[in-house]
Structure formats: structure tokens, C-alpha cells
Amino acid sequence: MASTGADDLYDYIWKVVLVGDSGVGKTNLLSRFTKNEFNSESKSTIGVEFATRHVTIKGKTIRAQIWDTAGQERYRAITAVYYRGAVGALVVYDITKSQTFDNLNKWLQELKDHADSSARIMIVGNKSDLRHLRAVTQEEGRLLAEKHKYSFIETSALDASNVGEAFNNLLVDIFKSQVEDPT
Ligand code: GDP
């Protein structure tokens, strides 16, 4: 969406969704990126929520509207409206829980079914601070991403490692596909 008036504070507004099993750290990745906050409580509110952050890429201001399932995935499948209009997705697993990695196939299929085929996808292995509990190697994450031609990164919402990179790299990827090389 191009800027149309002097009051506009951004050039583009993009919807990005967070998906992945309950407990992998989606809410904390979002709060780390948008508010620089971390919450160690596992209880989350039910219902779809989003938070926004403005980023600048090549002189353009992007209003990133990042959606969080906020626990919805625990009780039922996420509704199609969650994915509608998304130009990017962070697909998150917990590096200490192989089940959350195995379930990525389910989440990737959901994205294929409901999101636009041009949406850019990044696979995110979260909780990299818990090295001693690691159950999924970096190599496994990287190989899965390579297989699908998606990006890959490991993050820690707790110590903030790579969180900015995860969101920013995805937004740069979206910028390339939406602005620089739209097909
Ligand atoms: P969600 O259900 O995917 O939104 O996950 P939450 O963000 O609610 O996080 C679930 C639990 O994992 C909470 O207890 C968080 O404090 C914890 N958690 C989230 N991210 C990290 C992380 O990077 N490292 C560690 N050690 N714990 C995390």
C-alpha cells in the first residue's frame, strides 16, 4: 500500500503471522521485538492479537503488523482469517522439544492452504539459550528450511539473541518480493 497523504507515517503496511505449537515462544518473540519485553509466565490470553512496529528498509517506512495466535492453537485449528492477507510468516518451534519441530509440517501445510502463495516464510528455532536441553540440531532446522527454500534462524526471546534479525530478515525478504521484484 503506497503512501497517499502527508499524514501517512508509513509507505507500506504488512501483515506477518506467527505460527507454531503452543509454548514455543511466539508471544515472547513478539513482545521482545515490539516492546523489548520477556514474560516467563506460560499462561497466555486466548484470542488473536497483534502488535506493530515500524522498520525502515531502503528509505521506506514499513508498518509491520505482527499477529499472534495468543493461545488459539491449543483448542482448535487457527481460522483462515488469521492467515488472510499475510505477506510473511514466522513458523516457530522450540529447539528443546522435537515434537514442536515434527509439527512444523502441519503448520507449513496450513500456510499453504490458507496464506497467499507469495507469502515469505522463515523457520525459527526458538529458545536457543537452553543449550543443555537441545533436542533439535541446527542442522536439522537448516535442512528442513532448505528443502522448502525458506529462510532459517535460531532465536532466544529470553536473551534477545537473533530476535531482531528474525523479524528484520523476513521483512527484507518481503521487501524484495513485494517492492523490488513483484511478479
Ligand atoms: P507461545 O504459546 O508460543 O506464545 O509461547 P510463549 O511466548 O507464551 O512462551 C511459552 C513459555 O516459554 C513461557 O514460559 C516463556 O517464558 C518461555 N519462553 C519463550 N521464549 C523463550 C526463550 O527463548 N527461552 C526460554 N528459556 N524460554 C522461553
Side-chain angles (χ1 to χ4, degrees):
M1 193 190 296
S3 174
T4 52
D7 291 339
D8 286 0
L9 297 172
Y10 53 86
D11 298 290
Y12 302 99
I13 180 163
W14 289 338
K15 175 179 176 181
V16 170
V17 291
L18 283 156
V19 295
D21 284 5
S22 181
V24 297
K26 300 182 295 300
T27 302
N28 275 281
L29 285 168
L30 180 60
S31 61
R32 175 62 77 196
F33 183 60
T34 57
K35 297 184 286 191
N36 201 18
E37 281 175 15
F38 181 81
N39 184 352
S40 59
E41 288 199 12
S42 56
K43 219 168 145 246
S44 57
T45 41
I46 307 304
V48 176
E49 290 168 359
F50 65 81
T52 55
R53 183 167 159 179
H54 287 196
V55 295
T56 305
I57 302 173
K58 297 199 174 166
K60 300 287 184 196
T61 304
I62 289 124
R63 181 177 169 89
Q65 192 182 77
I66 305 153
W67 290 51
D68 178 19
T69 61
Q72 207 186 169
E73 72 280 23
R74 275 187 223 168
Y75 302 100
R76 57 191 161 90
I78 289 169
T79 54
V81 74
Y82 183 71
Y83 297 103
R84 195 166 302 150
V87 293
L90 291 172
V91 185
V92 189
Y93 66 95
D94 174 345
I95 67 147
T96 73
K97 295 211 164 59
S98 45
Q99 185 67 53
T100 67
F101 181 71
D102 296 341
N103 285 342
L104 286 185
N105 286 323
K106 182 193 110 184
W107 294 112
L108 293 173
Q109 188 58 48
E110 281 230 2
L111 279 165
K112 278 203 181 100
D113 292 343
H114 300 295
D116 197 289
S117 59
S118 64
R120 309 303 299 169
I121 293 173
M122 175 175 284
I123 293 180
V124 180
N126 189 42
K127 309 199 187 181
S128 61
D129 56 288
L130 298 175
R131 285 169 203 86
H132 52 298
L133 297 173
R134 181 186 281 278
V136 183
T137 66
Q138 267 208 24
E139 191 60 12
E140 286 174 284
R142 197 181 310 282
L143 282 174
L144 181 77
E146 268 173 22
K147 185 175 130 193
H148 294 280
K149 299 197 166 59
Y150 299 148
S151 318
F152 171 70
I153 198 163
E154 282 195 352
T155 57
S156 167
L158 176 71
D159 69 17
S161 146
N162 273 350
V163 176
E165 285 80 352
F167 286 97
N168 287 322
N169 290 356
L170 180 68
L171 290 166
V172 167
D173 200 12
I174 296 167
F175 189 86
K176 282 184 191 147
S177 72
Q178 297 272 325
V179 181
E180 295 183 322
D181 188 22
T183 48

